[in-house]
Every structure is written in structure tokens, then in C-alpha cells.
Amino acid sequence: VINGTLALLDNSVARFDPATNSIQLDLYWRALAPSTEDISFNLQVTDAVGETVFSLDREHPDGVYPTSQLPVGMTVRDRHTLALPPGTPPGVYTVRVAGYRHGDPNTRLPVDGQNDAFIVAQTVQVGVPERSARGSPPPSEVMIDQSMTDGVVLNGATLPVKRIRVGEYFPLTLAWRAEVAPRSDHSVCFGAAPVRNGSVATTTLELGCQPLIAAWPTSRWQVGDAWRVPYRVKLPPELGTGEYQWLIRVGQNSVTPGQIMIDAPPRIFADPGPTVRQTAVFSDAGELIGFTTAATADRGAPFEVKLVWLATRATSEKYTVFAQLVDANGERVAGHDGGPDGERQPTSAWLPGTYVIDSHWIDLPAGLTPGDYRIVIGMYETYTLRRLPLQSGPDSIELSARVRVK
């Protein structure tokens, strides 16, 4: 439900049309309550890695039904043709829609009470378009035109990000074509080699391999097929700060399409010695080894809780840490949520065997009742808000020291 007034019904339908290389989409909207404003829509088609491959704005449902004029209970069909860019590879795609006030596309309206949200309207299996509907894929940022193996040619590469942190996923798009029909299925492998004083090191750190197209193996490609395929490559925490040369390999042949700057956070290899020792192992992130905090705090002022973590394993997740002040009844009276070390040390960048100092400043309300309070900390998945359990079972831990609020 958008803005509490307009509901997207379950009988919406999406299908791929190979004759036009498009997604034919029928949405059905029902007015739930009177609306004094017109709602416009942004529709997006996203791929398996979350990249937007197509976006469309429409003023009114089906172009002719201003939502302010829809009677309560009326259902309208909203038909769309979502033309996919040439070279869009086969696979499962998601169609999502957001509403915004007419004339203000930068501010999305709430969906089911959540601000700035999209509705996932449909998922659709995109296939191979007919030859007459394929068109020519747009040029890449870096033109390569290198025969790789078994008739597979790498036309070019687009590397939109020039600087990135370890633990992030590097996005890139590769343009492929079949010079002849490949006989086998092939993967593309990625690597990075340090660049020092303008010279590329001979040692390359391997960053993993992926199918050229997960849903359309190369053994099914035909002569002349051309695809633009997005990839996301995880940059492991072992990488240090510096410039790196990208390497792309298929079979025994490789190319180097460009360089990027990778940033790694400062590493602490020696135990920093927290004031209070207290251990708690979080299942997919690391181990709390202790904390430092003052024994007293003033109402209306910030209060610091300094946690010390030991990274025990690599994780691809970015967890948010929460530190809460709770009263004698277990009620939260104040707190702070944030990425470790003010987002400078995301858990996805933690290097096993290193320590992370993580300060959280809790703003105490001026009207807080004086007395003794407990501190509870934990982690949760940043995007789903699901709490991360401790190895011992609970999803939070109470610190062993209390704070007296004056």
C-alpha cells in the first residue's frame, strides 16, 4: 500500500516478450481511501545483483487515471512495456515500483508504513530475444576486442567505480560476443595485482570465478550473440591500501582493463587492553573481548561506550552494532546504533586476527531519572534488522559494569 491510499493487487502479471525484447507488465491498483494528491510512479527492472537495468516514470496509472480522482474501491489496470537495453542477458529479473507525489520524483512515498520504499511487483524470467529485436549493445568504457577462448570475445569493460574499500563488492560490466558458437561452458575469473611506483607486481590475488552468464551457459550461445553482463566481485579484507591492476581471465587468456584504488582500514594486531574484560562470541562476526566506559554520566550529555572486538572470521555481511541503556525494568531509555568505529570499520572489512576499537556515544535525555542503569549491546543485519545471535544463544549481552546517571 502506497501512502495509505493506493494498494497494488496480487493479480499483477509480468511476462517477457522475445519479439520486442521487453517485459510486458500489467499492474492493478485499488483506491483504499480518498486522496487529495496525485501519485506518480517509478518502475525499475533490477537484475540478480541488484543493478537497475531499466527505469521508467509515469504520471498516472495507465497514463490517464489521476489518483486524486479515483473513487474509493475502484480498481484500474496499469499497463507498461519495459524495453530492455540491447545485450541484456537471460536470467531472473525483478520489477519494482515506487510512488511519489506528482512533480516530486526525488521523494518516494511510504510503502506499508516504511519510508522511501519500493514494492516488488513481479519477478520475471527474461529469455533470449529474437534476432530482429536484439539491437546493438552500447559501447563499453574500455574497448578491448580480445578473443578469449572457444569463440568467446571480450568486447569491452565498464568499471564505474575508481575507488573502493575492502569488504565491498566491486561492480563491473563486461561485454561479450560469440565469434563462433562455443562448444563448452566457460567462467570468467577475476584478480588484482598491486601497483607500486608505477610497476605492476607479478603476483596476482585471485578474487574468484563466475559463469559468464549464470542463466545462459556459453554452450548455448550462437554465432553473433552479444551480451552486456554485470558482475560483483568481493574485495577481501586481506587487500591492503593501494592501487591495483584488474585482471580478467577466461581459459588461459587474460586482459587488464584498468586500475582501481583500494582502501583498507588501519589494522590493530596487538590487544588494545580494554578496561573491563568480558568476552562474547557473535556467530558470524567476531568476539567482544571487553569494553571501557565511565562509572557515572550526566543527564542531557553524551555518554561513551567503547567496545573492543576481535575479528575471528571473514564475513560478507555488514552488521550494525547497538549499545542501549536500560533501566531496572529492562526498558530501553537511550541508545546508539551504528557501524563499527563510526562506519570506518565495517564487519565485511574485518581481517581475522585483528582488533577493532568501536566507540558509541549515547545521548542521555535531559529528563532521565537519576539512578543506576545497565548497558546492553549486540549486532544486527543492517538491511534486514535481524539480530545476530551469540554463540551461546541470546541475541544481546549485558555488559558487566553499570553506569550511574546523575
Side-chain angles (χ1 to χ4, degrees):
V1 178
I2 295 180
N3 210 33
T5 62
L6 197 65
L8 180 65
L9 304 184
D10 291 338
N11 59 343
S12 300
V13 177
R15 66 178 181 85
F16 174 67
D17 179 14
T20 59
N21 192 30
S22 64
I23 295 173
Q24 303 297 314
L25 176 69
D26 286 345
L27 302 177
Y28 290 87
W29 300 98
R30 178 173 293 164
L32 300 182
S35 175
T36 59
E37 56 190 2
D38 290 329
I39 298 176
S40 298
F41 302 94
N42 173 243
L43 291 97
Q44 295 184 2
V45 179
T46 60
D47 60 21
V49 298
E51 296 293 324
T52 300
V53 300
F54 178 84
S55 181
L56 171 73
D57 287 276
R58 174 166 281 183
E59 280 192 315
H60 311 296
D62 221 28
V64 295
Y65 295 104
T67 55
S68 62
Q69 299 178 26
L70 293 179
V72 174
M74 181 177 179
T75 298
V76 295
R77 184 182 66 184
D78 184 14
R79 176 163 287 179
H80 301 269
T81 296
L82 310 179
L84 299 175
T88 299
V92 176
Y93 291 78
T94 299
V95 180
R96 61 182 190 172
V97 58
Y100 57 87
R101 291 181 179 85
H102 181 63
D104 185 15
N106 296 320
T107 305
R108 290 193 286 265
L109 294 171
V111 173
D112 294 334
Q114 295 187 7
N115 293 326
D116 197 27
F118 279 89
I119 300 173
V120 175
Q122 290 283 300
T123 57
V124 58
Q125 178 71 52
V126 169
V128 178
E130 295 178 4
R131 291 279 177 186
S132 59
R134 294 191 181 185
S136 299
S140 300
E141 176 189 52
V142 179
M143 302 305 296
I144 297 172
D145 196 26
Q146 171 70 46
S147 179
M148 303 299 283
T149 188
D150 197 18
V152 175
V153 176
L154 179 57
N155 278 349
T158 299
L159 287 67
V161 176
K162 306 306 178 187
R163 190 170 196 137
I164 193 170
R165 296 192 302 183
V166 297
E168 304 283 352
Y169 284 89
F170 182 81
L172 73 162
T173 299
L174 301 180
W176 305 99
R177 80 172 187 271
E179 206 165 40
V180 299
R183 294 165 295 177
S184 303
D185 296 331
H186 300 285
S187 296
V188 55
C189 300
F190 302 97
V195 179
R196 297 186 179 94
N197 300 321
S199 298
V200 180
T202 56
T203 302
T204 298
L205 179 65
E206 298 295 333
L207 302 178
C209 302
Q210 303 177 32
L212 267 69
I213 301 177
W216 196 247
T218 51
S219 60
R220 303 184 68 176
W221 293 15
Q222 300 298 314
V223 176
D225 281 359
W227 309 109
R228 281 177 55 85
V229 187
Y231 302 90
R232 295 171 76 233
V233 181
K234 173 71 181 293
L235 300 179
E238 292 81 8
L239 292 171
T241 296
E243 194 172 17
Y244 288 81
Q245 174 73 63
W246 269 109
L247 181 138
I248 298 170
R249 186 180 73 251
V250 179
Q252 299 302 313
N253 294 320
S254 61
V255 297
T256 53
Q259 297 181 354
I260 58 167
M261 185 68 187
I262 296 178
D263 295 312
R267 304 298 188 187
I268 302 174
F269 293 93
D271 188 331
T275 303
V276 181
R277 292 280 176 176
Q278 183 175 1
T279 60
V281 179
F282 286 79
S283 57
D284 188 44
E287 178 181 357
L288 176 74
I289 67 163
F291 63 93
T292 298
T293 189
T296 61
D298 296 321
R299 291 175 292 170
F303 169 71
E304 184 185 20
V305 178
K306 184 182 293 184
L307 307 173
V308 178
W309 303 94
L310 171 63
T312 56
R313 57 177 295 179
T315 178
S316 60
E317 293 289 342
K318 284 186 176 180
Y319 293 106
T320 297
V321 178
F322 65 86
Q324 300 177 350
L325 207 65
V326 299
D327 61 19
N329 299 317
E331 295 294 325
R332 179 188 184 277
V333 297
H336 178 267
D337 294 27
D341 190 26
E343 312 287 350
R344 291 179 291 273
Q345 298 262 14
T347 53
S348 59
W350 285 11
L351 179 65
T354 61
Y355 296 87
V356 174
I357 298 175
D358 177 25
S359 287
H360 294 265
W361 288 89
I362 300 175
D363 290 323
L364 302 184
L368 190 61
T369 302
D372 291 338
Y373 290 84
R374 295 172 291 154
I375 304 170
V376 174
I377 66 109
M379 288 185 172
Y380 58 85
E381 293 178 355
T382 301
Y383 301 107
T384 68
L385 306 184
R386 184 184 69 85
R387 284 197 178 185
L388 182 65
L390 279 74
Q391 207 170 64
S392 56
D395 60 10
S396 64
I397 182 173
E398 181 181 321
L399 299 186
S400 56
R402 298 196 177 192
V403 58
R404 173 157 292 181
V405 174
K406 299 183 295 181

